[in-house]
Amino acid sequence: MARMERADEERLCRALRAAQDGDEESFRMLYRDVQPRLIRFAGALVGPDAEDVTSEAWLQIARDLPSFRGDLDGFRGWTATITRHRALDHLRRRSRRPNGDVPVEALTTMAAEADTEVAALDGIATRDAIRLIAELPRDQAEAVLLRVVVGLDAKTAGKVLGKRSGAVRTASYRGLRRLADRLSPAPADAVPPARLAGDVRPLLRRDKNGGTGAEGVT
Amino acid sequence: MSDHNGAGDLDRRTAERVLGGADDHARLHALLAAAAAPARPEELAGEDAAVTAFKAVPRPARTSRMAALRRFLTVKALVLVGGSLILTGGAAAYAAMNGHIPGRAPDPSATPTFDQRRSTGQHSEPVTHVTPRSEEPATAPSSAPPATKKRRSASPGPAADPSAGSGRENAPGQQTPPPGNPDPPRGPGDDNGSPSGENSGNGQENGNNGNNGSPPGQNSGNGQSP
């Protein structure tokens, strides 16, 4: 999904313009492209309430779409920003802590359990992947999800999060390191591919650096 | 937590590539690919609700575009009307230079001219009136018609543009108020006919004031040419 073909992107670009002029089919096309990204992103923030949050977000998206200015990437970033704001509002309303990975983890676990019956095999894989990412500290989870799932570059993701692109790169890098940690049952598995591009620095900056050491790097 | 080398070996460059879709790190790549997998049906459950919201929303941007277009058309129509006025004035000046519409005696001429116009209701009449009065100059009838033709050509101009704006009118067609805009230009256009008629009235007056013709003609020319 994050790597769509160019033709699809161009078609979506045209759909964006047409939807801004009120074309319903084009709006549906945009929805089908963006909504899965948004609901997964929101799921990492609010868990089982992701659908409610994205529904609220779409009300605002539909309302403000005619006045939106930007390209398709900008549109995805814009919708992600709206969704994120709605998610944070939702968390405030529910008196849940917007910060901290523990509640997010718990919520996403609940979400996964709630939907298990309906899910197809690939759906379960997706849900597990999202849940695993959502277990990261929130800034890292958001950075990884915005870049991988929503499909934004570091700069656009930075706009969504109110950070510089370098901070987003750092956060997503740390997130990936943590994920790689959790994914590697045996050290031997992950070492060879990593060393293909490896240099000296990774060795200096192992696991514990995931928290701090990597920040020195731009 | 876990101190697996596999994670430790992930450098920033590799991480960026993995984020971009490369499978430099097989497990991470599989995880991220699963996270970005195609949509599941249940994820799109809210589509109809979103579309309903989409259809319920008025389109301010669109209307603003239409408003901008309307504004543009109005300005254009005004320019055309102004142009037609100038053309009409020019035609009158031209006629004046030929001597048909030389002078003016506003007060006396006004009433007769209106009567004549209303009887004819068109520009053509002034010509007919002019011809009888201008019996003396043989050139009068011949030169007078061209002036009217010019006027007509000028007045259709603005009328044609609004009509040409029919494409635009389609858009305005959505808005009932806008018709007001197109009308004013046309109204003025018609009025132009009457002002021009006044000129012709002057011409007739000229007939009355035959001698004054040349000096007033200069005045009229000055007034209208700028």
Side-chain angles (χ1 to χ4, degrees):
Chain A
M1 182 172 63
R3 305 164 198 103
M4 300 190 69
E5 296 191 2
R6 193 175 187 81
D8 289 339
E9 295 286 310
E10 289 175 358
R11 209 179 66 237
L12 284 167
C13 276
R14 288 194 298 273
L16 173 59
R17 300 295 165 233
Q20 288 191 279
D21 286 337
D23 183 65
E24 179 185 329
E25 270 310 307
S26 298
F27 179 79
R28 286 183 182 274
M29 195 182 300
L30 287 177
Y31 180 90
R32 291 170 196 149
D33 172 77
V34 174
Q35 166 63 6
R37 305 168 191 263
L38 298 183
I39 199 170
R40 293 173 194 178
F41 177 52
L45 299 176
V46 299
D49 297 330
E51 188 168 344
D52 293 341
V53 165
T54 55
S55 294
E56 282 184 45
W58 276 104
L59 292 181
Q60 184 175 346
I61 293 167
R63 188 191 67 202
D64 296 342
L65 179 60
S67 58
F68 168 77
R69 295 289 175 267
D71 59 5
L72 185 60
D73 286 338
F75 175 72
R76 288 183 180 135
W78 178 64
T79 56
T81 303
I82 291 173
T83 301
R84 183 170 184 267
H85 288 166
R86 296 289 76 77
L88 297 182
D89 289 346
H90 187 82
L91 289 174
R92 279 187 218 107
R93 278 200 304 269
R94 299 201 137 209
S95 301
R96 291 176 182 165
R97 286 183 301 158
N99 294 323
D101 39 340
V102 175
V104 169
E105 181 175 356
L107 289 170
T108 50
T109 302
M110 286 172 54
E113 290 170 356
D115 295 342
T116 302
E117 302 167 0
V118 195
L121 277 179
D122 57 341
I124 292 175
T126 297
R127 187 178 302 106
D128 288 343
I130 298 295
R131 188 183 61 211
L132 201 58
I133 296 172
E135 289 173 357
L136 297 170
R138 208 189 77 188
D139 64 327
Q140 298 174 18
E142 285 188 311
V144 170
L145 287 170
L146 285 176
R147 298 192 64 185
V148 173
V149 175
V150 183
L152 307 179
D153 59 17
K155 184 179 176 184
T156 310
K159 287 181 184 173
V160 174
L161 298 171
K163 296 179 177 178
R164 287 177 293 109
S165 59
V168 173
R169 286 197 188 90
T170 300
S172 53
Y173 169 61
R174 288 186 198 152
L176 286 194
R177 284 175 56 85
R178 284 204 181 202
L179 289 173
D181 267 346
R182 298 186 184 184
L183 286 173
S184 52
D189 281 350
V191 171
R195 279 189 178 167
L196 291 177
D199 48 21
V200 184
R201 301 162 73 192
L203 298 176
L204 301 175
R205 194 190 312 138
R206 285 205 184 173
D207 305 321
K208 295 175 183 175
N209 296 340
T212 56
E215 293 170 351
V217 186
T218 57
Chain B
M1 290 185 178
S2 59
D3 296 333
H4 298 305
N5 294 334
D9 286 339
L10 184 71
D11 66 310
R12 289 179 71 95
R13 194 183 307 165
T14 306
E16 283 296 319
R17 280 205 298 271
V18 171
L19 286 171
D23 59 352
D24 291 2
H25 194 296
R27 289 175 181 275
L28 265 185
H29 173 72
L31 172 75
L32 300 185
R40 289 171 286 147
E42 64 267 24
E43 289 177 323
L44 301 173
E47 178 173 337
D48 288 337
V51 169
T52 301
F54 173 75
K55 288 195 289 189
V57 168
R59 317 231 151 267
R62 200 182 186 191
T63 55
S64 70
R65 285 179 194 168
M66 296 316 306
L69 186 62
R70 231 180 303 144
R71 251 176 266 129
F72 173 74
L73 287 180
T74 305
V75 170
K76 197 174 179 181
L78 287 176
V79 168
L80 286 171
V81 168
S84 68
L85 282 174
I86 292 174
L87 284 177
T88 306
Y94 176 75
M97 291 184 69
N98 286 341
H100 295 288
I101 311 173
R104 63 178 59 173
D107 296 338
S109 65
T111 52
T113 54
F114 273 101
D115 294 341
Q116 292 169 352
R117 286 180 200 161
R118 291 178 182 173
S119 62
T120 59
Q122 297 297 333
H123 301 285
S124 61
E125 288 187 355
V127 176
T128 58
H129 291 289
V130 171
T131 52
R133 292 180 182 176
S134 62
E135 294 170 355
E136 299 171 355
T139 56
S142 62
S143 62
T148 58
K149 286 179 182 177
K150 287 180 181 177
R151 291 170 190 169
R152 288 180 181 176
S153 63
S155 63
D161 288 340
S163 65
S166 62
R168 307 154 184 170
E169 284 179 359
N170 293 339
Q174 299 168 347
Q175 323 117 353
T176 49
N181 293 335
D183 289 343
R186 292 179 184 173
D190 296 338
D191 294 342
N192 295 341
S194 64
S196 64
E198 292 177 356
N199 295 334
S200 65
N202 292 337
Q204 295 167 351
E205 294 170 359
N206 296 336
N208 295 335
N209 299 330
N211 295 333
N212 298 334
S214 61
Q218 294 173 348
N219 294 336
S220 64
N222 293 335
Q224 294 169 344
S225 60

